[in-house]
Amino acid sequence: MLEQHTIWITFAAYLLFLVGVAFWEQRRQRADSARSFLTAGGSISWPVLVMTYLASLMSTWVFFAGPGGYYRGGLGYWISELSYIILFPVIAHFTMNKVWLLNHARGYTTPADFYDDRFRSPVLRVILAFIFLVSSFPYIASVLISIGQAAQVATGGAADYRAVICIVGAAIILYVCLGGMKSVALTDTMQGLLFISLLWIIAAACLYAGFGGSVSAAFTSIWENSRDWLSYPGPDGWVPYGARLGYPLSCAIGWTIMLPHVFVRSGYSGKDMHTQRKLMILTPILQAVVWTGTMVIGLVGVALLPGLSTSDTELIIPYMIQNVIQAIHPALALVLMLAFFIGASAVGISTADSFLLVSSSIVYEDLLHHTFGVELDEKKRMVVIRATIAVIGGISILLALRPPQLIFTLIMFAIAIVMPLFPILVCAIYWKRATKEAAIVSAIVGTVLVLMTYFVWDIGGTWYGAIGMLGSTVTMIAVSLLTRPAPQDSAAFYAALDSTMAEFYAVEGEI
């Protein structure tokens, strides 16, 4: 639909803008340490933190798997999606706010730093490092895949998929290497505002073109032609009883808390407790705004074009633009196709840059420094971290060049694999009886169960990481009761938690 030169000019301008922001931020406020480069040293204010958290969280679901999921999953899938949102403030209050308090006192860099501070186990650090890395590569690859597909769809197949993948990957690597966490947070904020606006513009335009802007007319069409979209378990059977538990849990815990890039944002990067509270309250609201927009697109899609194949539904936005809107409003169709491409790029890049940053910190801090004892001065450390970003980005590019059929599969597996680490997090904070042996065994058992859920029992699409998290919980409790804790290992951890709680809650009480 779009000419190749339109895509390339738009894309070049957009990527140059991102690199320019990173360069400006790098010149304006140089990172004085690896920790500052990787986590912003706990200095990000709440407007930027909320938006970088949301933008890095959303990823390619918004323009691909999200609308496609609502098309295939039905209204019940949207209800299931929203059900986890009410859990987020509760979970964040009792976990990530405590992580932030500890980070304020202890100065963490990687997600594993928190666990190691509590359990003092090099073995656990290595296990966690590999689990977090396993979750990172699928996400980064899914971003590159979706942007490559968006370029091909927008140009009717004229754009070179491999060229897009390589150029996007190189641009992301460059601007992450330049600016670090602060520039990533700033560009994420801009991209977050952009993709949310474009999402709702597309949703409103599709509804207007198909049904004159009437939601009731769209529902009437569904009732007459695709009534199962309104029922459980939906047209593709996506919301059976198992999924009603597994999916909300995977979103509330795996997706919004335990993925490494959001763990760092919600636990390490906030400026103060006021920022944490804003994140806790505003993020669910913004998530509801985004998911409702994607649901409206899925709703209009199934109302206008029922019976699409699974692969077509992941491209429901351009499919509707080409097959419905273009015949009615050709000029609007061109604008919407460009909006689709830019929106998909914005939401994808804002996730890939976050994962690249945290993955490089895991490789250097957890593996090279703490595991293999590599000691470097600050300048050489930054060189190694930037080189690691380039290597991880390159591997993700290679993975994206031979993509799987469904982006959704990559993303959900990444979410599921980190879910078993949540019980260890909770026990680390609230149960002094928890032991490092239990944490090690729990992480292994939970991960093995998730892998079996996907590759042996073939129920990953229903339960995701819920079975692994259950196994991890039982193992954590049982092994802790069978082993002896080492109070001296966790004494500094709990002392820091007690002192920071007294400090911040006392200050709030005086106010």
Side-chain angles (χ1 to χ4, degrees), residues 456-475:
V456 179
W457 303 322
D458 195 26
I459 55 175
T462 298
W463 292 98
Y464 307 104
I467 293 175
M469 192 172 73
L470 175 61
S472 174
T473 302
V474 173
T475 304

Side-chain angles (χ1 to χ4, degrees), residues 480-492:
S480 289
L481 293 175
L482 294 173
T483 53
R484 302 186 65 173
Q488 67 277 10
D489 288 345
S490 59

Side-chain angles (χ1 to χ4, degrees), residues 303-358:
L304 286 172
L305 301 163
L308 294 180
S309 67
T310 299
S311 58
D312 283 338
T313 61
E314 286 215 345
L315 299 171
I316 187 61
I317 293 176
Y319 198 97
M320 283 195 294
I321 293 172
Q322 291 174 326
N323 292 280
V324 178
I325 298 176
Q326 188 174 20
I328 304 171
H329 300 287
L332 176 62
L334 290 174
V335 172
L336 291 180
M337 188 63 81
L338 191 59
F340 162 73
F341 175 69
I342 295 172
S345 300
V347 71
I349 290 172
S350 62
T351 300
D353 57 20
S354 306
F355 265 110
L356 271 180
L357 201 59
V358 73

Side-chain angles (χ1 to χ4, degrees), residues 68-139:
Y70 291 125
Y71 184 106
R72 300 192 301 274
L75 189 63
Y77 180 52
W78 179 62
I79 295 171
S80 177
E81 191 91 65
L82 294 185
S83 66
Y84 81 85
I85 289 179
I86 60 174
L87 297 175
F88 179 78
V90 177
I91 295 172
H93 173 75
F94 287 104
T95 58
M96 300 317 295
N97 285 358
K98 298 294 189 298
V99 173
W100 182 87
L101 289 170
L102 285 157
N103 174 68
H104 179 76
R106 308 289 282 173
Y108 303 140
T109 299
T110 73
D113 279 343
F114 166 84
Y115 292 89
D116 186 63
D117 192 25
R118 166 62 175 83
F119 294 108
R120 297 294 177 182
S121 171
V123 174
L124 179 63
R125 181 186 284 275
V126 172
I127 293 171
L128 296 180
F130 279 109
I131 292 173
F132 284 128
L133 283 176
V134 166
S135 74
S136 299
F137 284 108
Y139 245 101

Side-chain angles (χ1 to χ4, degrees), residues 223-474:
W223 182 258
E224 293 174 352
N225 302 302
S226 307
R227 192 171 300 183
D228 57 351
W229 192 85
L230 301 171
S231 65
Y232 284 112
D236 276 21
W238 269 28
V239 198
Y241 287 106
R244 293 185 212 180
L245 174 66
Y247 187 78
L249 279 178
S250 70
C251 289
I253 293 172
W255 187 52
T256 59
I257 298 293
M258 294 309 304
L259 284 172
H261 67 312
V262 295
F263 190 95
V264 168
R265 278 161 170 71
S266 60
Y268 298 173
S269 298
K271 184 178 180 180
D272 48 34
M273 185 55 71
H274 175 69
T275 299
Q276 292 299 115
R277 297 257 166 79
K278 289 289 187 181
L279 179 72
M280 185 175 68
I281 295 169
L282 294 178
T283 297
I285 297 172
L286 291 172
Q287 287 180 54
V289 169
V290 172
W291 290 134
T292 301
T294 58
M295 184 276 292
V296 170
I297 295 173
L299 182 155
V300 175
V302 77
L304 286 172
L305 301 163
L308 294 180
S309 67
T310 299
S311 58
D312 283 338
T313 61
E314 286 215 345
L315 299 171
I316 187 61
I317 293 176
Y319 198 97
M320 283 195 294
I321 293 172
Q322 291 174 326
N323 292 280
V324 178
I325 298 176
Q326 188 174 20
I328 304 171
H329 300 287
L332 176 62
L334 290 174
V335 172
L336 291 180
M337 188 63 81
L338 191 59
F340 162 73
F341 175 69
I342 295 172
S345 300
V347 71
I349 290 172
S350 62
T351 300
D353 57 20
S354 306
F355 265 110
L356 271 180
L357 201 59
V358 73
S359 298
S360 67
S361 72
I362 291 169
V363 170
Y364 176 76
E365 294 290 343
D366 292 333
L367 299 179
L368 295 180
H369 179 55
H370 288 284
T371 303
F372 295 106
V374 176
E375 294 285 349
L376 300 173
D377 60 36
E378 204 62 53
K379 185 176 181 180
K380 291 180 180 178
R381 184 179 300 183
M382 292 299 298
V383 170
V384 172
I385 289 171
R386 288 188 167 105
T388 305
I389 291 171
V391 171
I392 294 173
I395 294 172
S396 299
I397 289 171
L398 293 176
L399 180 60
L401 290 175
R402 300 187 66 181
Q405 183 181 10
L406 293 180
I407 298 170
F408 183 86
T409 304
L410 277 177
I411 296 173
M412 288 310 300
F413 176 76
I415 292 170
I417 203 71
V418 296
M419 286 178 65
L421 305 182
F422 183 72
I424 307 173
L425 169 71
V426 174
C427 289
I429 296 171
Y430 292 102
W431 195 26
K432 293 184 178 182
R433 183 71 177 77
T435 67
K436 62 184 176 183
E437 293 84 3
I440 293 169
V441 176
S442 178
I444 295 172
V445 169
T447 302
V448 170
L449 284 174
V450 170
L451 294 174
M452 292 180 69
T453 299
Y454 273 86
F455 302 112
V456 179
W457 303 322
D458 195 26
I459 55 175
T462 298
W463 292 98
Y464 307 104
I467 293 175
M469 192 172 73
L470 175 61
S472 174
T473 302
V474 173

